[in-house]
Amino acid sequence: MTSGAAALCLGPGGSGGFTVRQFTRRRPAADELEVAVTAASVNPIDVRRSEGYGRRLLSLLGAGRFPLILGNDLAGIVTAVGSRVSTFKTGDRVYGVKPASAEGAHASHVLVKAVHMLAAPGDWDLHALAAIPYSFTTMWLAVRGAGLSRENAVGKNVLVHGAAGALGTLATQMLSSWGARVTAIARKSNSKVCLEVGAAEVVERTDDLFVSLSRSFDATLNFATWEDDLALIGCLRDGALGHATTVHPMLGNFDRLGWLRGMLRTLSQKKDHRRALPKGASNYAWVLFKPDKAALDDLRQFVEHNQVSLPIGLCKPLAAAGLAFDHVRKRQPGRVLLLP
């Protein structure tokens, strides 16, 4: 095999943050594909990991020691196929996800499990597809964690906090297509965007926001800030489905407090928040990204029916990874892609 190139993250102590390094490409294992990457996303979790966040727990996955290659989703062209893979062949256009590892998607060539990849429809641009899989999977896990599904979503009132971000946008698109009524929490400047992707109502994010919201929601989703989590739970009606958050402190607890104290703190916080659920509500979830077959199956359907999309804000080559990460760090608009 010939060589490839990757944006190697040197970590918070590394001079310059990133360097492009050559590596020797390996043949895929029996259940893997090698994909020549057309584009790979830079997600907020990549920025936080580049600053050392989550190192203690992620070390259990071999993903906590610098230097490492970040990135969890990509789109590209299959260049090699493992011996047990029958779903793809060389030359196929694909998109999908990688679990957290030290060999992520910010590279020219990536080895990935075939079950974590989807065939790209011919009418979709690979850059647009690269922006979606990680965010969709994380969002989908939160939606399911709150007790919502395609089968029970019709007519449900769902409150989405952080509705103008990638997770909130995709949640609004998916839930509205399922027949749910989405109330979006967003800044006033983002109201039009939230309505365009399917929100029935937009509530401006203000200091006294939760005072004005009634306990009338069947499910609440927190994609914004941990500090608002209890207030969101307080918006659930009796007998509601439940609540899920992607902005919980689990990884940070272990980073700050170590294994034992981090575990105790995490268990205590989850218990306190679960106790705040209204009568009859049983679903409460802290969501961490992981590849999920059911999520990818739903993603395939939404892509094929052109029901999900995210705007691209910036594209940069691997050599400019630092600039791409800065764009995300500063919360500039649009998704950010690295182009090998």
Side-chain angles (χ1 to χ4, degrees), residues 12 50 92 119 133 154 228-229 253 259 314:
S50 75
D92 284 349
V154 175
D228 290 338
D229 210 62
N253 285 343
W259 290 110
L314 183 71

Side-chain angles (χ1 to χ4, degrees), residues 44-338:
I45 188 62
D46 297 317
V47 174
R48 299 193 70 186
R49 285 184 63 196
S50 75
E51 298 166 348
Y53 174 75
R55 290 178 68 181
R56 193 180 298 273
L57 267 182
L58 291 174
S59 67
L60 299 176
L61 304 175
R65 181 177 296 179
F66 293 101
L68 50 80
I69 305 166
L70 295 165
N72 293 105
D73 50 358
L74 67 141
I77 308 297
V78 175
T79 50
V81 178
S83 60
R84 293 206 304 267
V85 175
S86 59
T87 49
F88 299 102
K89 64 183 183 303
T90 300
D92 284 349
R93 292 168 11 108
V94 295
Y95 66 107
V97 293
K98 279 181 67 74
S101 72
E103 296 183 349
H106 297 165
S108 63
H109 296 78
V110 170
L111 293 176
V112 61
K113 299 288 187 184
V115 294
H116 297 160
M117 302 302 289
L118 300 170
D123 58 344
W124 270 77
D125 176 69
L126 289 177
H127 293 79
L129 288 172
I132 300 174
Y134 170 87
S135 294
F136 184 92
T137 301
T138 306
M139 173 278 298
W140 188 95
L141 291 170
V143 167
R144 293 305 297 265
L148 286 158
S149 67
R150 184 189 296 270
E151 291 73 27
N152 71 4
V154 175
K156 296 296 191 296
N157 290 313
V158 184
L159 183 62
V160 178
H161 194 14
L167 301 182
T169 296
L170 292 170
T172 302
Q173 291 171 337
M174 184 175 80
L175 289 168
S176 61
S177 75
W178 282 354
R181 184 184 189 279
V182 175
T183 297
I185 299 175
R187 291 185 177 88
K188 188 175 183 179
S189 58
N190 291 321
S191 294
K192 182 180 178 181
V193 173
C194 292
L195 293 170
E196 287 175 347
V197 298
E201 180 184 7
V202 181
V203 180
E204 185 178 357
R205 187 174 177 178
T206 61
D207 291 340
D208 60 352
L209 162 67
F210 295 103
V211 175
S212 64
L213 290 171
S214 63
R215 297 175 62 97
S216 61
F217 292 93
D218 298 293
T220 49
L221 298 168
N222 185 7
F223 303 131
T225 175
W226 170 246
E227 286 70 24
D228 290 338
D229 210 62
L230 281 173
L232 283 162
I233 293 172
C235 295
L236 292 169
R237 64 171 179 80
D238 287 347
L241 291 171
H243 172 80
T245 178
T246 61
V247 288
H248 52 78
M250 180 187 294
L251 294 180
N253 285 343
F254 284 94
D255 286 340
R256 291 184 299 103
L257 302 174
W259 290 110
L260 179 58
R261 291 173 60 209
M263 179 181 67
L264 293 174
R265 178 63 172 159
T266 296
L267 291 174
S268 174
Q269 288 173 310
K270 288 188 74 172
K271 184 177 180 181
D272 287 345
H273 282 228
R274 179 177 286 278
R275 188 182 293 125
L277 289 171
K279 182 180 179 180
S282 59
N283 295 294
Y284 177 70
W286 287 13
V287 174
L288 290 172
F289 165 78
K290 61 179 180 179
D292 186 280
K293 183 181 184 302
L296 290 172
D297 286 343
D298 268 346
L299 174 58
R300 176 193 290 110
Q301 294 182 49
F302 280 105
V303 165
E304 289 176 351
H305 291 90
N306 292 301
Q307 291 177 309
V308 291
S309 64
L310 291 172
I312 307 299
L314 183 71
C315 296
K316 288 290 183 182
L318 293 178
L323 294 176
F325 273 63
D326 283 344
H327 186 98
V328 179
R329 185 178 289 111
K330 295 174 182 177
R331 299 186 178 182
Q332 296 297 311
R335 306 291 294 153
V336 176
L337 301 178
L338 288 177

Side-chain angles (χ1 to χ4, degrees), residues 7-30:
L8 195 68
C9 179
L10 304 177
S15 59
F18 291 88
T19 186
V20 176
R21 183 169 297 180
Q22 300 295 311
F23 64 89
T24 301
R25 290 159 54 192
R26 305 191 309 272
R27 295 190 179 279

